[in-house]
Amino acid sequence: MAQVHVTTREGEVRTLEAEGGSPLMEVLRDASTGVEGTCGGMCSCGTCHVYVVDEWVARLPERSEDEAMMLEALEDFVELRPGSRLACQIVLDDDTSGITVEIAPAA
């Protein structure tokens, strides 16, 4: 099981448990944290935008070109930070267990 520490848009801090191999977006969506995941994880809607805390940014794989383009499209609507990621592109496993994220504002 992987752990996720999440701060919701309302400031509530929660710790979630997830099966290894689960996309972070699904875990956050299913736990009613405010993440919608409208596109089902296809990296095309931006409704799973999260801010990954600084100490985790370098531990994750680089953004794909598609993810970077989707985040760039959100820039006119919400603040982007160095830790901005789409949760659908982060897979939870032993390496990502303990990740800490904040749910970004809705676009």
Side-chain angles (χ1 to χ4, degrees):
M1 295 293 273
Q3 280 196 338
V4 177
H5 306 288
V6 58
T7 301
T8 66
R9 290 184 185 109
E10 294 77 27
E12 178 187 5
V13 178
R14 297 172 58 189
T15 298
L16 308 174
E17 299 263 339
E19 292 290 327
S22 299
L24 176 58
M25 178 273 293
E26 292 178 5
V27 174
L28 295 173
R29 181 196 61 205
D30 294 350
S32 300
T33 62
V35 165
E36 293 178 30
T38 304
C39 71
M42 301 304 293
C43 198
S44 63
C45 70
T47 63
C48 67
H49 178 206
V50 296
Y51 301 125
V52 176
V53 296
D54 291 342
E55 60 265 20
W56 275 94
V57 172
R59 296 174 67 179
L60 296 176
E62 293 288 319
R63 294 178 187 142
S64 68
E65 185 176 336
D66 287 342
E67 181 180 9
M69 288 174 47
M70 186 69 247
L71 287 168
E72 185 178 310
L74 294 174
E75 192 169 28
D76 290 338
F77 306 102
V78 296
E79 173 190 9
L80 292 186
R81 299 179 187 169
S84 285
R85 294 298 300 262
L86 297 180
C88 66
Q89 300 301 297
I90 299 172
V91 176
L92 298 172
D93 57 21
D94 290 341
D95 293 334
T96 54
S97 184
I99 191 170
T100 302
V101 300
E102 175 186 344
I103 307 301

